[in-house]
Amino acid sequence: MKTFFFAVLLTCLTLAPVVSSRTLAAAMQKADSPAAPALDLIRLQRYNDAINRLEQILEARPTEPDALTYLATAQMYADKDFLKAQKSFEDAFRAGGGAAFFVNHSHEKLSGNEMAEYCRGWLHLRKDGVRFTPSEGEHGFNLPYSNIVEVGRNRWSKSLFHIKYGEKNQNFRGRTGDESEALLVVALYKKFAR
């Protein structure tokens, strides 16, 4: 047992310069939730597998917040039914979850519809605020609603949306590229931020 502990500690110390504290915190948070593996299935566009896994979790724990949130996400991407998704996300929010979107995040100032420099990651809207966790990199954020100045659709393209806070303006495109997904993010922000 001591040898195993030492090996784990040594591995963590060896990887410490490579893995940031934010990445470790996100990984630890994901590992705490029984629904966390579904995020990877959704990211890989294996929506039916994610739905099956989440429904199994909900059979045992019908009000599990993350399972309700990620089920709404998987169903939204599988069916492209944004009205149904809005109701499902609102139900998840009332249970302690929220909404999750797999998005492209622009690294440039936009003047049109196309993103040339971007990363992908998860945008979460929860009771305590909005969090963006990039798949790679260190430019995520976790903001209480009180720090956000505006969430709205972009004037250049209705399929893009932005989040303004402080002096920053972060631009995003939802996975579907459909303007209904951008509208859904804005509508849920307005509802959850109250």
Side-chain angles (χ1 to χ4, degrees), residues 142-162:
N142 192 2
L143 300 168
Y145 289 115
S146 60
N147 288 6
I148 298 173
V149 176
E150 177 182 84
V151 174
R153 291 196 308 165
N154 288 24
R155 65 177 175 234
W156 299 108
S157 171
K158 300 302 182 194
S159 65
L160 302 174
F161 62 95
H162 60 266

Side-chain angles (χ1 to χ4, degrees), residues 49-166:
D49 292 339
I51 290 167
N52 289 336
R53 178 171 289 203
L54 293 162
E55 286 175 341
Q56 289 172 357
I57 293 167
L58 290 168
E59 282 178 18
R61 296 173 55 191
T63 59
E64 206 288 315
D66 286 339
L68 291 168
T69 299
Y70 304 149
L71 179 62
T73 302
Q75 289 173 335
M76 175 187 67
Y77 288 133
D79 303 337
K80 311 267 187 309
D81 185 340
F82 298 102
L83 290 175
K84 178 182 172 187
Q86 182 173 359
K87 182 185 179 325
S88 297
F89 284 134
E90 289 170 357
D91 291 344
F93 183 78
R94 282 191 288 280
F101 299 88
F102 194 70
V103 296
N104 291 345
H105 167 245
S106 177
H107 295 171
E108 61 197 328
K109 185 172 181 171
L110 296 175
S111 60
N113 190 27
E114 296 302 316
M115 291 182 181
E117 295 178 39
Y118 65 92
C119 69
R120 293 184 172 108
W122 286 100
L123 183 70
H124 299 271
L125 285 71
R126 298 290 182 132
K127 286 187 186 284
D128 59 347
V130 176
R131 181 179 76 237
F132 173 64
T133 306
S135 297
E136 297 176 0
E138 288 299 313
H139 56 280
F141 58 82
N142 192 2
L143 300 168
Y145 289 115
S146 60
N147 288 6
I148 298 173
V149 176
E150 177 182 84
V151 174
R153 291 196 308 165
N154 288 24
R155 65 177 175 234
W156 299 108
S157 171
K158 300 302 182 194
S159 65
L160 302 174
F161 62 95
H162 60 266
I163 299 173
K164 291 183 183 179
Y165 60 95

